[in-house]
Amino acid sequence: QVQLVESGGGSVQSGGSLRLSCAASGYTSSSYYMGWFRQAPGKEREGVAGIYSDGKPTYADSVKGRFTISRDNAKHTLYLEMNSLKPEDTAMYYCASNRWGPLITERALGRYWYNYWGQGTQVTVSS
């Protein structure tokens, strides 16, 4: 059974930084895709960034140049480094992974291509 556990959320002021982590368990290899999603109150869950074990990332336009996704395959851990945070980045952030392996760019930020989800960690950015 795959489980994902996020950590690292919190409250920061606009322009600040946070680093999220997601520990995955239940996988026997690193051949799975991982991503970060977020959901603000009253809005749909949206893809933020995704990455395969080869390290090639995909980003939503809204976070390009500010967020960096990475993963440690040996530790089965996913990271999201968030810099220059804005109030509109405020949301619950979720880690997700799939069973199939790599995703093409057009699917990397689509939530329907992921099978497993963490419980989320809250990020709040004040102005």
Side-chain angles (χ1 to χ4, degrees), residues 3-6 22 45 93-97 116-121:
Q3 289 188 323
L4 304 174
V5 179
E6 304 98 334
C22 171
R45 191 169 298 189
Y93 283 71
Y94 298 91
C95 171
S97 65
Y116 308 106
W117 294 85
Q119 292 190 326
T121 184

Side-chain angles (χ1 to χ4, degrees), residues 14-85:
S14 182
S17 299
L18 282 173
R19 188 191 197 207
L20 306 183
S21 298
C22 171
S25 60
Y27 283 106
T28 58
S29 75
S30 60
S31 301
Y32 53 93
Y33 205 88
M34 298 191 81
W36 287 101
F37 289 74
R38 66 186 181 186
Q39 188 167 17
K43 294 188 177 181
E44 289 195 0
R45 191 169 298 189
E46 63 174 357
V48 174
I51 189 169
Y52 188 53
S53 57
D54 61 3
K56 182 179 178 181
T58 297
Y59 295 99
D61 289 343
S62 59
V63 305
K64 280 181 181 177
R66 300 188 299 122
F67 290 10
T68 302
I69 189 172
S70 62
R71 61 189 280 177
D72 184 328
N73 293 324
K75 296 181 178 179
H76 293 282
T77 301
L78 179 71
Y79 304 98
L80 185 69
E81 186 76 35
M82 305 185 293
N83 298 313
S84 302
L85 282 162

Side-chain angles (χ1 to χ4, degrees), residues 33-37 45-50 58 60 96-98 100 103-117:
Y33 205 88
M34 298 191 81
W36 287 101
F37 289 74
R45 191 169 298 189
E46 63 174 357
V48 174
T58 297
S97 65
N98 75 358
W100 307 291
L103 292 174
I104 60 175
T105 300
E106 291 77 9
R107 296 177 178 176
L109 301 182
R111 59 191 174 119
Y112 299 107
W113 299 101
Y114 291 79
N115 306 100
Y116 308 106
W117 294 85

